[in-house]
Amino acid sequence: MQKRTIKDIDVNGKRVFVRVDFNVPVKDGVVTDDTRIRAAIPTIRDLAGRGAKVILASHLGRPLKEKKKAEEAGKEFDAAKFSLAPVFARFNELVEGIEEIRETRFAVNCVGAEVSEAVNALGEGDVLLLENLRLHPGEEKNDPEFAKRLAALCDIYVNDAFGTAHRAHASTEGITHFVDTCVAGLLMEKELDYLGRVLGSPERPFVAILGGAKVSDKIPVIDSLIERKVDKLLIGGAMAYTFFKANGYTIGKSLVENDMLDRAKEIEARANSAGVELLLPTDHQVVDSVDPLNSQKTIPIDFTNAGHVGLDIGIETAAIFANALKGAKTLVWNGPMGMFEEKPFDQGTIAVAKAVAEATDNGAVSIVGGGDSVAAIKQARLEDHISHISTGGGATLEFLAGDVLPGVAALNDKNEAVV
Ligand code: ADP
Ligand code: MG
């Protein structure tokens, strides 16, 4: 890891601003999935245990965009929906009993006199959660004035919000211009270590499984994987139909991106010349109608007729894909194999999840990224059989595509002089 981390610095008695990713789903004032809050706790615990005064900052949703939408529609904007107060409540439950973390408090804003006072009142080991950063237009605009105000709150900046690191916002990038010591948190370090392996020299065989709805979303990742000469590239999900159509198959009413047909051909040709084995489904689960779902059956791809809608890979494909993962040493998976939210079209995704877990148990390093793929892993209760479940969606894809993430680039390098 080339970036300095909290392990490299002394934080005792310092005001430490930690950009966390507490952008969690909240329903009726209650957090419905606390994965991201849990994921940030090791960093907070470590800092508090070493005597830091911890300031936590995060965004939640896109309040200003929603406000504009509401105004345009002549509806009332519900600002309470974008408060981090429910997150604070859940955070308190999660850290109860952690003795390194002393007092926890919630600030009604993220800048301003009241916030400065609350920061001044912090003791060593105390934690202050600031209110939603995106209630200020300066956050997403990466306004230097707003960044400066955030920077004024602290002595040290820590970024532990990998999921937002692909955005150059005031709290992820701008602030680093006004704070000397800018380092990665433990979650950020873990993400960069695991994902970095894929971009560095992955142990082989290296197999990637891609699925999901759109080829267009995943093109940079596919390009990067081919460039890195992944040994096998397995493509399932709706994405596969663009490849089938490009090759003249009948795909019925399955999802397809007609403007990506040439791109699909090009990807196939590039994979071919790079010696990458590209596997597409051989069979799939189809229906005659989506609403209501009916006449569900599994058929070979070339039996598809004009009325069929393909919603999942078939059992033969699931077996071929599972077999292709055997003996793999590095595995990357992004995107479900079908419309897994709807049973029985979760079968292909679950089968692949199980195969990834089994390969991991047999020694592969596995990385799963993408909101829906991670949801599928959790649904199958296989979290403990995956080496690394990435907390980033877009950030993970951009990183794996080889892009530099502004929130990461902005942190101090390991060899940079300590200020
Ligand atoms: P991730 O969030 O893991 O990156 P994506 O967002 O790219 O994954 O894709 C997930 C979506 O793709 C899911 O909503 C799923 O229902 C949809 N999907 C996958 N295969 C199909 C299919 N054959 N037909 C319709 N939708 C599909
Ligand atoms: Mg998704």
Side-chain angles (χ1 to χ4, degrees):
M1 163 102 171
Q2 301 132 344
K3 291 295 174 184
R4 280 170 76 201
T5 75
I6 55 170
K7 293 179 200 152
D8 301 319
I9 58 167
D10 176 26
V11 297
N12 190 27
K14 303 262 173 52
R15 297 169 303 159
V16 182
F17 183 105
V18 188
R19 175 56 158 100
V20 288
D21 184 357
F22 283 177
N23 182 33
V24 295
V26 177
K27 201 165 179 263
D28 302 325
V30 178
V31 173
T32 55
D33 181 350
D34 61 12
T35 311
R36 286 176 170 171
I37 308 176
R38 287 173 187 274
I41 290 178
T43 294
I44 301 165
R45 180 180 195 155
D46 175 80
L47 292 169
R50 291 194 284 136
K53 302 169 178 175
V54 182
I55 306 156
L56 303 178
S58 176
H59 73 280
L60 180 69
R62 314 199 69 182
L64 296 179
K65 199 173 154 200
E66 292 303 318
K67 190 173 173 200
K68 201 169 153 214
K69 257 208 246 161
E71 278 166 7
E72 278 165 9
K75 291 199 193 116
E76 203 163 318
F77 170 64
D78 185 5
K81 255 175 54 190
F82 297 96
S83 170
L84 281 166
V87 173
F88 182 62
R90 184 67 192 131
F91 175 74
N92 276 331
E93 287 169 7
L94 291 171
V95 301
E96 206 186 306
I98 298 182
E99 58 181 52
E100 290 93 333
I101 297 174
R102 299 171 71 103
E103 261 186 62
T104 63
R105 281 169 226 153
F106 183 57
V108 293
N109 202 337
C110 61
V111 286
E114 258 178 282
V115 175
S116 304
E117 257 169 55
V119 169
N120 287 336
L122 285 176
E124 293 176 8
D126 288 349
V127 177
L128 174 72
L129 174 64
L130 306 183
E131 183 55 289
N132 192 352
L133 291 158
R134 286 196 190 163
L135 290 167
H136 290 263
E139 167 63 0
E140 285 177 271
K141 284 191 188 134
N142 197 7
D143 170 30
E145 287 311 313
F146 181 64
K148 223 186 260 182
R149 294 177 75 193
L150 293 175
L153 299 174
C154 71
D155 308 302
I156 292 170
Y157 171 77
V158 175
N159 193 343
D160 214 21
F162 178 76
T164 325
H166 59 314
R167 308 269 181 239
H169 290 168
S171 69
T172 60
E173 201 274 338
I175 186 171
T176 67
H177 298 285
F178 306 105
V179 182
D180 288 332
T181 306
C182 300
V183 301
L186 302 176
L187 173 63
M188 175 70 91
E189 179 187 29
K190 186 166 175 248
E191 291 276 7
L192 297 177
D193 272 350
Y194 273 103
L195 299 176
R197 285 189 210 194
V198 174
L199 296 187
S201 37
E203 233 191 297
R204 288 174 189 279
F206 171 19
V207 183
I209 311 140
L210 293 178
K214 291 180 174 172
V215 184
S216 51
D217 284 351
K218 314 277 162 103
I219 278 179
V221 182
I222 300 176
D223 282 343
S224 157
L225 289 167
I226 293 175
E227 204 175 301
R228 285 174 172 82
K229 300 205 186 320
V230 59
D231 296 291
K232 293 176 196 171
L233 182 58
L234 282 42
I235 295 185
M239 231 170 98
Y241 296 107
T242 300
F243 288 85
F244 286 128
K245 185 163 183 187
N247 284 300
Y249 284 80
T250 300
I251 57 160
K253 294 182 202 141
S254 311
L255 274 188
V256 68
E257 284 174 284
N258 285 314
D259 52 347
M260 284 290 142
L261 299 176
D262 291 343
R263 246 351 220 115
K265 290 294 273 185
E266 204 182 302
I267 288 167
E268 275 185 295
R270 286 194 51 222
N272 211 354
S273 61
V276 173
E277 191 182 335
L278 180 69
L279 293 179
L280 286 163
T282 55
D283 63 344
H284 60 166
Q285 285 199 56
V286 297
V287 295
D288 285 334
S289 140
V290 177
D291 191 18
L293 284 170
N294 67 23
S295 319
Q296 176 262 328
K297 53 184 170 283
T298 300
I299 55 167
I301 296 290
D302 45 14
F303 280 26
T304 311
N305 70 36
H308 285 145
V309 188
L311 294 178
D312 193 11
I313 58 172
I315 28 177
E316 183 184 81
T317 305
I320 293 171
F321 281 12
N323 206 41
L325 302 186
K326 288 217 171 90
K329 284 276 176 277
T330 307
L331 282 175
V332 175
W333 179 24
N334 169 266
M337 296 293 103
M339 201 178 76
F340 79 105
E341 299 93 334
E342 200 74 56
K343 280 186 171 76
F345 308 106
D346 59 340
Q347 287 170 351
T349 302
I350 301 283
V352 165
K354 283 188 180 153
V356 172
E358 203 178 305
T360 312
D361 291 341
N362 289 325
V365 171
S366 58
I367 297 162
V368 178
D372 293 297
S373 324
V374 172
I377 289 282
K378 287 190 183 156
Q379 203 174 303
R381 297 178 188 271
L382 293 169
E383 301 102 298
D384 296 339
H385 300 266
I386 303 296
S387 314
H388 180 62
I389 296 187
S390 182
T391 51
T396 308
L397 291 179
E398 286 192 26
F399 189 91
L400 290 177
D403 293 348
V404 176
L405 309 184
V408 176
L411 302 176
N412 299 156
D413 288 329
K414 271 263 194 247
N415 54 10
E416 206 166 304
V418 179
V419 217

